[in-house]
Amino acid sequence: YEIDPDVRPVPVAGTIIFCQTNGQWSQFREFSVRGAGTALVADASDLTGYVSSFIPGDATKLTANDTGNAWFVISDQQGYQDRIYVFKYFYRNTGQGAERVQSSWSYWKFSGADKVLQVLCVQEVLFLLVQYGSEVWLEKMPVADRLSDVAPSPYPLLLDRRVSTTTETPAAIRVSAGTYNATSKTTTWTLPYTIEAPTQAWSGFSSTNKGGVLLGSAVSGNQITAQGDWSAEPVFFGEVYDFAYRFTRFKLYKEVGSGKSAANVERTQVRHAKLRYHGTGYFEAWVMAERRPKAVYTFDGTVLGSRNSVVGNDADFDRYSQGVFTIPIQSKGETCIVELHNDTPIPCKFSTCEWVGLVSTRARSMQ
């Protein structure tokens, strides 16, 4: 197989991942050897066939998180240098061994960054060399695919460049306790860095405070002010980012030979979609149907008519952080766009989505 010599292949779980150049785009393959003796078979399956024009060319580095089932790619192509492309996958054990049942490509975009120069994943921590103007910074981020905050926090606050007033943050960059002004009844904190992107302050969880409350925000300078006395409470600071996912169009697929094909001669009228979530405290579902204004449906972790459904209450987070959310659509499947968004530090995670609709047949395809 042809290979891009600028991207070093990496071994992952008994296979080898390598890059190929396909015009202005990059293509990734997974090389594996199966069987033994005369039945030995070598193959390199295409991992980017369904997103052939998604990952830009001029890829420079590939690194893998074998424990968390993820790979990370950076590119030197102009306009894409501030992104890391991520391949995530999920294995399920079957009678014949492990089988990959889900996989996806996405990207992370770093606000304010000019270029991501290098990436390397070590023990579920991604280390990055990032250029900001004339400066180069060494940064790191956890990429473990699980909630892992310390009690009494029921979930981590997902903020970029996160610092806090707690011992979680190293002493050299730890934020000092806020200064309370009894006259204005406000608390002010000074951050250890100059704010370059919208930055927010969120209350942490303690024995006296339920946590997960937005206290204040700023877009410049190095100070954030909040109403009330928060000088003795744990507080977290960091840049917010938008999580966005767009569903493929809702349409009917039929079995054709050993694969599937879209039923183009049949009209699909979608009523609603059923989205299963878990480990989730907030998200928005955007429905953009043809000739209708955008509709936004919000899940904020509260369930009407349930016990302890109070803003800021975390006692039953595990109980209500998983379930099924109904997204009203009422539109033709092929002309409606549905997206999931979350611009808060509260986590969200989704596993499956099913839709309910009417399928009208006005013709029959001949094979």
Side-chain angles (χ1 to χ4, degrees):
Y1 294 92
E2 292 184 358
I3 185 172
D4 186 344
D6 294 330
V7 184
R8 183 184 180 92
V10 297
V12 179
T15 66
I16 297 176
I17 311 302
F18 64 95
C19 177
Q20 296 177 320
T21 300
N22 184 11
Q24 61 176 327
W25 307 102
S26 293
Q27 181 177 2
F28 287 86
R29 288 184 176 271
E30 182 180 35
F31 181 82
S32 61
V33 178
R34 303 182 302 275
T38 57
L40 194 67
V41 178
D43 189 22
S45 57
D46 187 4
L47 302 174
T48 49
Y50 56 95
V51 286
S52 57
S53 58
F54 182 70
I55 306 170
D58 297 331
T60 57
K61 181 62 184 290
L62 169 66
T63 187
N65 175 19
D66 204 355
T67 306
N69 295 338
W71 312 328
F72 309 94
V73 181
I74 58 175
S75 170
D76 198 33
Q77 190 171 122
Q78 194 69 28
Y80 303 93
Q81 298 174 332
D82 58 348
R83 300 181 181 183
I84 296 179
Y85 287 83
V86 184
F87 180 74
K88 291 280 293 180
Y89 55 96
F90 173 71
Y91 276 112
R92 179 179 62 188
N93 291 325
T94 64
Q96 305 298 323
E99 177 188 4
R100 183 183 296 161
V101 292
Q102 283 185 337
S103 60
S104 68
W105 281 100
S106 59
Y107 67 83
W108 300 336
K109 185 174 182 179
F110 293 82
S111 61
D114 294 319
K115 187 176 182 180
V116 180
L117 301 171
Q118 187 63 276
V119 290
L120 179 64
C121 191
V122 180
Q123 296 182 351
E124 297 196 281
V125 176
L126 189 65
F127 293 87
L128 310 90
L129 281 176
V130 187
Q131 180 179 343
Y132 299 91
S134 59
E135 297 180 342
V136 175
W137 288 74
L138 173 63
E139 303 185 356
K140 69 176 184 178
M141 67 170 67
V143 290
D145 189 18
R146 58 187 177 273
L147 299 179
S148 58
D149 231 13
V150 180
S153 301
Y155 53 82
L157 291 170
L158 305 179
L159 294 164
D160 275 349
R161 297 175 179 83
R162 188 176 78 172
V163 292
S164 70
T165 59
T166 69
T167 55
E168 174 204 77
T169 303
I173 57 174
R174 187 179 307 157
V175 180
S176 301
T179 302
Y180 179 65
N181 187 321
T183 303
S184 60
K185 296 182 179 181
T186 58
T187 304
T188 301
W189 298 271
T190 301
L191 304 186
Y193 55 80
T194 301
I195 297 174
E196 300 289 346
T199 301
Q200 296 179 347
W202 287 74
S203 63
F205 293 83
S206 66
S207 57
T208 59
N209 177 41
K210 293 300 181 181
V213 177
L214 176 61
L215 303 179
S217 61
V219 296
S220 61
N222 65 345
Q223 290 188 334
I224 294 182
T225 301
Q227 295 291 328
D229 185 3
W230 296 91
S231 58
E233 297 293 340
V235 181
F236 293 81
F237 310 85
E239 297 178 4
V240 295
Y241 59 90
D242 183 31
F243 159 85
Y245 173 80
R246 175 175 292 187
F247 287 98
T248 54
R249 301 300 175 92
F250 298 104
K251 61 176 65 176
L252 180 66
Y253 289 85
K254 292 183 176 181
E255 300 288 342
V256 178
S258 59
K260 292 185 177 181
S261 176
N264 297 318
V265 298
E266 298 179 357
R267 175 187 174 93
T268 304
Q269 190 74 20
V270 182
R271 289 185 173 180
H272 57 264
K274 296 286 188 178
L275 176 68
R276 175 160 290 278
Y277 60 88
H278 49 98
T280 297
Y282 184 89
F283 67 87
E284 296 177 354
W286 295 4
V287 178
M288 294 166 279
E290 189 178 25
R291 293 187 291 274
R292 289 210 316 253
K294 179 180 70 177
V296 178
Y297 304 95
T298 303
F299 172 80
D300 58 4
T302 58
V303 180
L304 295 179
S306 64
R307 179 174 60 89
N308 293 333
S309 183
V310 180
V311 173
N313 178 42
D314 62 294
D316 280 346
F317 178 79
D318 290 338
R319 182 198 301 266
Y320 300 117
S321 65
Q322 55 183 321
V324 176
F325 185 79
T326 300
I327 306 175
I329 297 179
Q330 304 296 338
S331 174
K332 185 179 178 182
E334 294 189 355
T335 59
C336 183
I337 296 175
V338 180
E339 295 181 347
L340 301 177
H341 286 260
N342 185 356
D343 59 356
T344 74
I346 302 173
C348 63
K349 198 172 185 179
F350 311 98
S351 55
T352 61
C353 183
E354 300 171 290
W355 56 270
V356 178
L358 300 174
V359 178
S360 303
T361 302
R362 296 185 178 181
R364 185 178 64 180
S365 61
M366 304 299 292
Q367 300 294 334

